[in-house]
């Protein structure tokens, strides 16, 4: 996966980090907006690569500027369709996606933030899943991301999909949904050692405590 | 498996009573839950229900030894128990004419959460640990559990709990909508007070 001048990336231990560019307020506003539309398009291209990359288990999006999403905000103002596609692209990612939000958030980026599974922030705002002091945010974000990346990727993706879908499934159909999903997972795991059987065996032998998160 | 007590003013207290297994729901307990909910549903003398756990924990979820890969239960017993489980957690809990109140201390995990989600009010002891640890066991939490929990819990809290499998405390559960009140003292006593106030 190649780096982009507007969206530097790195992939370490299954965690793909995408850095949003800082908003460039010193440049004329039309040029700023143009740069930001380019940045958003670059991001969308990156996300489509990430979606298909089996080495990417988790995606972390962070902002190099002082206001999260400020660089996306002006693009969204100008082209709502691009913004809509971007949010949808985030939602459709099979991997969990984590936002690391330092400080404030740009108004227009609030809609973008809704597409994230987990939001770690320095503020106590409603949109944050968990809040940390600024000095701990990066450490906590990557601790969580590495933890997610260490889980069975298939189960991680199916868990995300289930969380996204259950609200729209009627109660009378929920059991069928679960049955079909379990069959699909079983089929995809066929011929491989079952992580589930191993985890349960380890738990029953007293070697692990998955309920306690360990 | 259950300790059932009725108060004079019409409150049925249903205590999960398998303390050596942290009240994990095994075959016998799930059959007992179906039975008590079926009977309570049509009992006009019962005005409210209070769920609680005995022995310092509410519920450690479904019993892995009974229900999953290494189960030694006969297939027909397992089939009946699974049907009973889906009956009480998908249908009965949501159909009960009485208001449900739940008291949580210790662990409250996975398969115990549909009871919490069906409750009008949930009182949790400050040190309580809630969670959806299924992913740590290598499987996806059942859609029926996530749907129930998702009806009361914030979407982002639900995503965090299911994707990480990390337990979370009572205060966090309150912020995410799963718990109504956090107490230092006995949550069962407080749940009873709330149940009485609802009569």
């Amino acid at each position: 996966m190649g780096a982009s001048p507007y969206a530097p990336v790195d992939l370490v231990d299954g965690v793909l980090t995408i850095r949003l560019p800082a908003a460039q307020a010193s440049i004329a506003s039309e040029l700023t907006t143009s740069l930001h539309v380019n940045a958003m398009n670059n991001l969308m291209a990156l996300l489509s690569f990430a979606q298909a990359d089996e080495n990417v288990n988790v995606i972390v999006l962070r902002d190099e500027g002082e206001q999260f999403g400020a660089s996306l905000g002006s693009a969204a103002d100008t082209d709502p369709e691009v913004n809509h596609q971007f949010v949808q692209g985030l939602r459709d990612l099979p991997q969990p996606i984590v936002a690391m939000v330092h400080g404030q958030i740009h108004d227009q980026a609030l809609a973008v933030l809704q597409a994230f599974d987990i939001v770690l922030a320095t503020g106590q705002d409603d949109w944050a899943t968990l809040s940390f002091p600024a000095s701990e945010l990066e450490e906590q974000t990557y601790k969580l991301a590495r933890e997610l990346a260490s889980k069975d990727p298939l189960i991680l993706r199916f868990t995300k999909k289930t969380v996204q879908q259950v609200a729209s499934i009627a109660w009378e159909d929920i059991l069928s949904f679960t049955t079909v999903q379990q069959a699909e997972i079983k089929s995809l795991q066929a011929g491989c050692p079952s992580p589930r059987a191993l985890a349960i065996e380890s738990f029953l032998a007293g070697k692990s405590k998955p309920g306690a998160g360990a | 498996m259950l300790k059932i007590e009725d108060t004079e003013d019409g409150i049925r207290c249903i205590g999960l009573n398998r303390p050596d297994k942290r009240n994990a729901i095994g075959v016998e307990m799930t059959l007992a839950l179906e039975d008590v909910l079926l009977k309570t549903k049509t009992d006009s003398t019962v005005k409210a229900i209070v769920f609680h756990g005995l022995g310092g924990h509410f519920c450690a979820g479904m019993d892995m030894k009974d229900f999953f890969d290494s189960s030694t239960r006969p297939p027909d017993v397992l089939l009946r128990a699974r049907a009973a489980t889906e009956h009480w957690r998908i249908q009965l809990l949501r159909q009960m004419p009485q208001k449900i109140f739940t008291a949580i201390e210790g662990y409250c995990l996975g398969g115990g959460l549909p009871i919490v989600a069906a409750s009008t009010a949930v009182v949790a002891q400050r040190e309580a640990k809630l969670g959806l640890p299924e992913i740590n066991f290598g499987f996806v939490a059942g859609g029926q559990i996530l749907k129930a929990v998702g009806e009361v819990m914030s979407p982002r809290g639900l995503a965090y709990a299911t994707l990480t499998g990390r337990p979370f405390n009572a205060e966090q559960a309150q912020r995410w909508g799963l718990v109504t009140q956090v107490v230092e003292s006995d949550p069962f006593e407080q749940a009873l007070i709330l149940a009485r106030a609802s009569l």
Side-chain angles (χ1 to χ4, degrees), chain B residues 43 55 74 84 137 140 163 171 183 190:
Chain B
D43 188 338
F137 286 100
V140 180
L163 290 168
E171 279 187 2
V183 295
Q190 183 59 20

Side-chain angles (χ1 to χ4, degrees), chain A:
Chain A
M1 187 177 296
S4 146
Y6 298 111
V9 296
D10 60 61
L11 175 60
V12 180
D13 298 333
V15 179
L16 177 73
T17 298
I18 300 176
R19 292 175 174 81
L20 295 176
Q24 301 183 33
S26 60
I27 306 175
S29 62
E30 310 83 62
L31 181 56
T32 309
T33 299
S34 164
L35 282 171
H36 294 162
V37 169
N38 281 341
M40 199 178 264
N41 284 327
N42 284 341
L43 271 170
M44 286 195 287
L46 264 173
L47 292 174
S48 68
F49 278 117
Q51 183 166 356
D53 191 337
E54 289 185 359
N55 296 312
V56 177
N57 293 336
V58 180
I59 298 169
V60 173
L61 203 72
R62 57 189 292 178
D63 201 311
E64 300 302 288
E66 291 178 357
Q67 207 181 27
F68 184 91
S71 59
L72 302 174
S74 52
D77 289 341
T78 309
D79 194 339
E81 182 53 30
V82 172
N83 189 54
H84 174 74
Q85 284 174 17
F86 180 60
V87 171
Q88 197 55 48
L90 288 173
R91 280 192 207 282
D92 290 345
L93 285 166
Q95 303 96 334
I97 180 156
V98 179
M100 181 179 125
V101 181
H102 236 295
Q104 300 299 308
I105 183 156
H106 190 278
D107 286 348
Q108 290 292 337
L110 272 174
V112 174
L113 214 58
Q114 287 173 18
F116 286 80
D117 300 300
I118 297 171
V119 177
L120 302 186
T122 50
Q124 292 278 352
D125 306 82
D126 288 344
W127 41 260
T129 313
L130 292 176
S131 301
F132 297 99
S135 59
E136 292 177 26
L137 182 65
E138 183 168 20
E139 181 193 341
Q140 293 292 341
T141 301
Y142 283 93
K143 184 180 172 191
L144 180 133
R146 283 192 297 270
E147 192 178 315
L148 291 173
S150 70
K151 297 187 186 298
D152 182 299
L154 182 70
I155 300 301
L156 198 61
R157 290 174 183 218
F158 268 89
T159 297
K160 172 170 174 164
K161 198 168 127 185
T162 305
V163 170
Q164 284 180 327
Q165 292 181 341
V166 284
S168 60
I169 295 168
W171 271 106
E172 54 267 33
D173 298 327
I174 198 71
L175 204 51
S176 305
F177 168 82
T178 301
T179 306
V180 168
Q181 187 194 59
Q182 285 171 350
E184 199 178 341
I185 291 171
K186 208 169 177 179
S187 155
L188 290 166
Q189 288 178 329
C192 306
S194 163
R196 165 174 153 160
L198 292 172
I200 291 174
E201 190 183 313
S202 167
F203 167 68
L204 293 177
K207 293 177 185 167
S208 61
K209 291 185 176 176

Side-chain angles (χ1 to χ4, degrees), chain B residues 29-76:
Chain B
M29 190 188 286
T30 206
L31 293 172
L33 279 166
E34 182 192 41
D35 183 60
V36 71
L37 288 173
L38 268 173
K39 287 175 179 159
T40 305
K41 189 180 165 188
T42 52
D43 188 338
S44 59
T45 66
V46 180
K47 309 294 182 197
I49 301 168
V50 176
F51 276 100
H52 64 111
L54 284 95
H57 295 279
F58 178 64
C59 177
M62 301 307 289
D63 188 328
M64 293 291 158
K65 206 166 187 175
D66 267 8
F67 284 102
F68 294 91
D69 305 53
S70 52
S71 178
T72 52
R73 299 287 189 150
D76 59 328

Side-chain angles (χ1 to χ4, degrees), chain B residues 26-161:
Chain B
V27 166
E28 287 74 20
M29 190 188 286
T30 206
L31 293 172
L33 279 166
E34 182 192 41
D35 183 60
V36 71
L37 288 173
L38 268 173
K39 287 175 179 159
T40 305
K41 189 180 165 188
T42 52
D43 188 338
S44 59
T45 66
V46 180
K47 309 294 182 197
I49 301 168
V50 176
F51 276 100
H52 64 111
L54 284 95
H57 295 279
F58 178 64
C59 177
M62 301 307 289
D63 188 328
M64 293 291 158
K65 206 166 187 175
D66 267 8
F67 284 102
F68 294 91
D69 305 53
S70 52
S71 178
T72 52
R73 299 287 189 150
D76 59 328
V77 172
L78 213 46
L79 196 66
R80 173 72 194 98
R82 284 188 172 135
T85 305
E86 302 310 347
H87 187 200
W88 67 257
R89 71 181 176 191
I90 292 179
Q91 293 181 24
L92 291 174
L93 279 175
R94 298 172 46 249
Q95 294 168 348
M96 299 306 287
Q98 300 92 347
K99 283 185 177 170
I100 298 173
F101 298 83
T102 297
I104 301 174
E105 58 179 335
Y107 280 118
C108 175
L109 306 175
L113 285 172
I115 296 173
V116 174
S119 302
T120 299
V122 178
V123 182
Q125 215 254 337
R126 189 169 298 282
E127 277 75 42
K129 294 283 181 197
L130 297 90
L132 287 154
E134 287 84 346
I135 198 163
N136 298 335
F137 286 100
F139 63 93
V140 180
Q144 53 277 57
I145 295 177
L146 296 188
K147 184 165 179 65
V149 176
E151 288 189 341
V152 293
M153 192 175 182
S154 79
R156 209 160 268 144
L158 183 64
Y160 172 87

